[in-house]
Amino acid sequence: MNKRKVGAAYEKRAGAFLEEQGLRILCYNFRNRSGEIDIVARDGETTVFVEVKYRRDEEKGAPEAAVDYRKMRRICRVADYYRMIHHMGDFSAVRFDVVAVCGDRIRWFRNAFDYVSQ
């Protein structure tokens, strides 16, 4: 199985987990030329942009540690584009979460990073 298929499988697993927690999935793999957001969801009135990270084990570090400042900036730029094309105002509630999958364990980090401007 190639990395893209593995990633898609874990994104679906993370999406199912988030749905169990009460979120509504709006889309998977929203992309533009700046990058990609793995999952866009709604949590009540809040739009949630979710990065999913998978590791088989923590031998090379925790999966959530792979979301560095550069990755956060890229996700924020893509989120800005998403908000623009969906006519979301500047005062729409948004949140950036990370779902870390390590082996069989799933950890959900709400508000994983503050909004990082371009």
Side-chain angles (χ1 to χ4, degrees), residues 1-15 28-29 31 36 38-39 51-55 99 101:
M1 191 180 287
N2 66 33
K3 284 187 177 187
R4 171 123 357 254
K5 287 184 180 182
V6 170
Y10 284 101
E11 288 164 6
K12 294 291 183 188
R13 183 173 168 198
Y28 289 91
N29 304 102
R31 301 167 198 233
E36 173 187 7
D38 295 327
I39 299 172
E51 176 68 9
V52 178
K53 286 295 179 188
Y54 164 73
R55 296 279 187 273
V99 172
V101 181

Side-chain angles (χ1 to χ4, degrees), residues 2 14 22 32 42 45-47 60 64 67 81 89-90 97 107-109 115 118:
N2 66 33
N32 71 2
R42 292 287 286 183
E45 295 297 313
T46 303
T47 302
K60 295 183 180 179
E64 63 272 12
V67 184
Y81 181 74
D90 290 339
D97 293 358
R107 293 186 304 255
W108 179 23
F109 299 90
Y115 187 80
Q118 296 179 9

